[in-house]
Amino acid sequence: MTLNKIRRTVLKGALAASVAMLPAMAAHAESLMDRAKGEGLRVAFYNFKPYAYKDDSGNLTGTDVETLRAVLDAMGGKIAEAKSTDWGALIPGVKADRFDVVAAGMFVTPKRCAEVQFSEPTFGIQQAMVVSKGNPKGVTNYESVAEQGLKIGVVSGSAQKGYAEAVGLSDASISQLPDNPTGVAALRAGRIDAWAVSAPGVRQIIASLPDAPIESTEPFAEVAGNVAVSHGAFAFRPADAEFVAAFNAELTKFIGSDAHIALLQEHGMTADELPISATAELCGS
């Protein structure tokens, strides 16, 4: 089966599951739906290109934010406010009802699925690393870091920490840092040998620092013998599963559309980074 056929099958299955959930859930879904259509949803984001960030004019943009706006608009809803939030506070914030939805390019993992209700995925991306110009340590992937006894930097609490652990890197070899600027600074200062984020994230870093003595490794899709195509989605409270079903019904129409692909490309992503797995599969259910 081709990749495009897989994507179409995934979207069709996700849409059917979402629609099937709606009749039994409609009554309970009204609370968050009413908020979406009334004052609007409270959004938490992590200021990180290409998913959600402030542009030079101070406007909130990014693939996740614009996708959220498009889907809510199709539902007759809107965003009331959006708050930049530390990565580690995103899930606790939505669980504590400080936010209604997390729009931060958050990867769907079984551990996170136990805490929040994810929408269907909006992208599926490979991995990459930022290294010093010329790549003097010959870093190509997580395994190369472990084999040489090097140090790697990751965003605190990110999926990349799990990838680093999967190849046997110890806590002493993994620096958890708050954001990309801090990670790049640590790389340039020699405190780490590679800064690991998603492939689109790496492209954004390189593009934003054209004069910096850094470069990207080639993207890779496997870590420790397992597929490492990370899928991002919106995170909601588990109690809002009914709203998520209605949201998914519109989201799956948008994902892979010409408008969605144009949006990805506008923010440095490509049509090759469309999702290939459904949330139920990613959550392990």
Side-chain angles (χ1 to χ4, degrees):
M1 183 179 290
T2 66
L3 189 58
N4 284 336
K5 286 184 178 179
I6 291 173
R7 286 171 176 150
R8 287 197 295 270
T9 300
V10 167
L11 290 173
K12 186 181 293 184
L15 176 58
S18 296
V19 171
M21 293 171 68
L22 288 174
M25 298 178 170
H28 184 67
E30 280 191 339
S31 177
L32 192 54
M33 185 69 80
D34 285 348
R35 179 179 292 169
K37 292 182 177 181
E39 63 192 65
L41 297 188
R42 302 164 298 166
V43 179
F45 71 97
Y46 178 68
N47 196 42
F48 181 29
K49 294 182 178 181
Y51 311 115
Y53 62 97
K54 293 289 185 73
D55 64 18
D56 293 339
S57 299
N59 299 312
L60 181 61
T61 187
T63 56
D64 265 40
V65 173
E66 299 303 332
T67 296
L68 179 61
R69 285 180 176 139
V71 174
L72 288 177
D73 183 65
M75 298 172 70
K78 62 185 178 182
I79 295 173
E81 60 182 8
K83 183 176 181 180
S84 179
T85 306
D86 288 342
W87 184 265
L90 291 170
I91 287 179
V94 77
K95 288 175 66 177
D97 198 27
R98 291 193 291 273
F99 317 116
D100 298 310
V101 56
V102 172
M106 182 173 282
F107 295 165
V108 181
T109 66
K111 182 178 179 180
R112 289 173 180 159
C113 291
E115 296 190 79
V116 295
Q117 174 75 42
F118 279 109
S119 70
E120 287 303 319
T122 61
F123 62 78
I125 58 176
Q126 297 185 47
Q127 310 305 311
M129 298 181 185
V130 181
V131 295
S132 298
K133 196 73 173 178
N135 196 4
K137 301 293 179 66
V139 173
T140 56
N141 52 24
Y142 289 90
E143 287 84 350
S144 68
V145 174
E147 289 165 3
Q148 298 182 73
L150 304 178
K151 292 187 177 182
I152 196 168
V154 301
V155 173
S156 300
S158 67
Q160 280 73 26
K161 181 176 184 292
Y163 291 145
E165 293 171 336
V167 299
L169 284 165
S170 66
D171 288 344
S173 297
I174 305 171
S175 293
Q176 295 194 72
L177 302 170
D179 50 37
N180 282 327
T182 307
V184 172
L187 173 67
R188 297 183 65 175
R191 294 193 296 273
I192 58 175
D193 301 295
W195 176 242
V197 292
S198 67
V202 170
R203 289 200 297 268
Q204 292 283 352
I205 291 170
I206 300 299
S208 68
L209 298 168
D211 298 323
I214 57 175
E215 64 183 59
S216 172
T217 64
E218 289 294 322
F220 52 92
E222 186 174 295
V223 176
N226 296 311
V227 174
V229 177
S230 299
H231 286 73
F234 299 104
F236 298 84
R237 286 176 293 276
D240 291 323
E242 299 89 345
F243 177 86
V244 177
F247 183 87
N248 280 336
E250 294 298 335
L251 176 66
T252 52
K253 296 176 189 176
F254 183 70
I255 299 303
S257 67
D258 290 345
H260 179 234
I261 292 172
L263 171 60
L264 293 179
Q265 293 173 338
E266 179 184 349
H267 293 282
M269 295 179 72
T270 73
D272 291 333
E273 290 161 336
L274 291 171
I276 60 172
S277 297
T279 292
E281 178 185 358
L282 297 166
C283 288
S285 59

